[in-house]
Amino acid sequence: MMKEQHLPLTEQAAKDGKWDLIQVKDLVKYFPVKGGILQRVVAWVQAVDRVSFTIREGETVGLVGESGCGKTTVGRCILRLIEPTAGSILFEGVDIMTLRGKELKEMRRNMQIIFQDPYSSLDPRMPIGESIAEGLHIHNIGTPKERFEIVIEMLRKVGLEDYHARRYPHEFSGGQRQRIGIARALALKPKFIVADEPVSALDVSIQSQVLNILKELQREFGLTYLFIAHNLSVVEHISDRVAVMYLGKLVEFADRRELFRNPLHPYTKALMSAIPIPDPKLKRERIILQGDVPSPLNPPKGCRFHPRCPVAIEHCSVEEPPFREVSPDHWVACWLVE
């Protein structure tokens, strides 16, 4: 058995001449469940439990898994939109968990988010030009004229027109609203963006347009993405590396081509088997998982996937497998993988 390591791919990043922009170490987020007349804490929802990974500068890391596995919680913890329970999050070597007040505000200029629902993330009473410029106002960037010029520039970057700045969110389609969300995230010219399922609510034809915009903007501005999704076809299209998450834990992490060519964890294999093949003559052997996802209130002992795993052995229910590197740049948490 190989020695457990908690921060995959950092050494490889140095070999490739790239630095880790984001380093997440043993990230934990538990949500309290309160009950009784006094509203005391009676249990904890283990949304994220000791998750560690890195994101290299200029790359896209896809984070995939079933609904409720903790993907969005990881993204929001990295930005400190919700406070982690434990762990450390390093941005350019600075632990943002230690930042407060003005220092945290300045750090947030470099870290933005594209929300899943483009409509609810926009103020319906505010013209979208003002929504895009809001971050510029908060950080006191530029004069009113310069802010307006930045807004127009961002609108053009995402394929919208100048006059759209005076319109309200309800006057746009879903795809246009998501472009507005992208423009708002870009206004402060950040280095890192969390894209929280940015195309899941859009039609397939619009999805490709938004994905292409994200890739073009990444090339132009040197952006780094954490791309959260449950659609593996979308993740394969946009990601450089892919992390697979199940019930609050990472189970596999590898280069995109390696992961799709040679998935090792039984859960990853089950997800891959659900990807449709665009050829009616070819059929993929489906792996149907039995049972429901266990509750994060009371996760199973040992490997959290073992109650649904088709190849589980007795040891899987006794001891949790370490997250270890089983081949160059390929990390997996499974007792059956050597």
Side-chain angles (χ1 to χ4, degrees), residues 52-236:
S52 300
F53 63 96
T54 64
I55 307 176
R56 301 171 191 163
E57 186 176 11
E59 79 166 348
T60 300
V61 168
L63 183 58
V64 302
E66 292 174 286
S67 297
C69 71
K71 305 186 299 297
T72 295
T73 303
V74 168
R76 296 193 177 203
C77 282
I78 290 174
L79 302 180
R80 280 188 64 185
L81 294 179
I82 54 178
E83 289 295 329
T85 304
S88 65
I89 302 160
L90 277 65
F91 178 83
E92 294 185 322
V94 177
D95 189 351
I96 68 170
M97 295 289 292
T98 64
L99 302 181
R100 297 290 185 273
K102 184 179 178 181
E103 291 180 335
L104 180 60
K105 181 180 177 181
E106 291 177 354
M107 177 66 74
R108 281 181 166 156
R109 283 187 57 179
N110 293 314
M111 307 170 74
Q112 295 292 306
I113 185 170
I114 302 169
F115 293 97
Q116 178 177 0
D117 186 349
Y119 189 70
S120 64
S121 65
L122 296 170
D123 189 337
R125 300 166 298 177
M126 186 181 291
I128 62 106
E130 293 184 20
S131 291
I132 295 171
E134 192 170 16
L136 302 173
H137 283 284
I138 292 171
H139 291 278
N140 296 316
I141 296 174
T143 64
K145 181 181 179 181
E146 290 170 339
R147 293 169 187 164
F148 178 75
E149 290 173 351
I150 292 173
V151 169
I152 297 303
E153 179 189 2
M154 292 302 106
L155 286 173
R156 291 173 179 173
K157 292 290 185 185
V158 297
L160 296 176
E161 302 294 337
D162 297 6
Y163 63 85
H164 284 144
R166 298 185 295 273
R167 292 189 174 181
Y168 290 84
H170 72 272
E171 299 180 76
F172 295 91
S173 67
Q176 288 175 320
R177 284 195 290 263
Q178 195 59 283
R179 293 179 189 217
I180 294 166
I182 295 171
R184 182 175 59 179
L186 284 173
L188 291 171
K189 297 186 176 176
K191 298 178 181 179
F192 173 64
I193 293 179
V194 173
D196 184 10
E197 302 202 31
V199 297
S200 62
L202 307 178
D203 293 337
V204 175
S205 59
I206 305 300
Q207 286 184 12
S208 61
Q209 295 176 18
V210 172
L211 290 173
N212 289 335
I213 287 173
L214 290 173
K215 294 184 78 170
E216 289 170 8
L217 293 171
Q218 184 177 38
R219 286 192 292 268
E220 183 174 351
F221 293 104
L223 296 171
T224 302
Y225 292 137
L226 175 64
F227 191 91
I228 300 169
H230 57 262
N231 187 329
L232 283 168
S233 298
V234 170
V235 170
E236 184 180 15

Side-chain angles (χ1 to χ4, degrees), residues 232-282:
L232 283 168
S233 298
V234 170
V235 170
E236 184 180 15
H237 175 71
I238 198 170
S239 300
D240 297 300
R241 292 185 293 155
V242 180
V244 182
M245 198 168 180
Y246 182 81
L247 204 61
K249 284 188 173 290
L250 287 187
V251 296
E252 193 161 0
F253 192 19
D255 177 82
R256 175 197 62 192
R257 296 181 182 86
E258 169 67 12
L259 188 77
F260 282 82
R261 181 186 64 83
N262 182 33
L264 297 178
H265 197 279
Y267 179 62
T268 308
K269 293 177 181 179
L271 291 180
M272 297 292 185
S273 72
I275 301 175
I277 300 175
D279 188 338
K281 296 180 181 179
L282 298 177

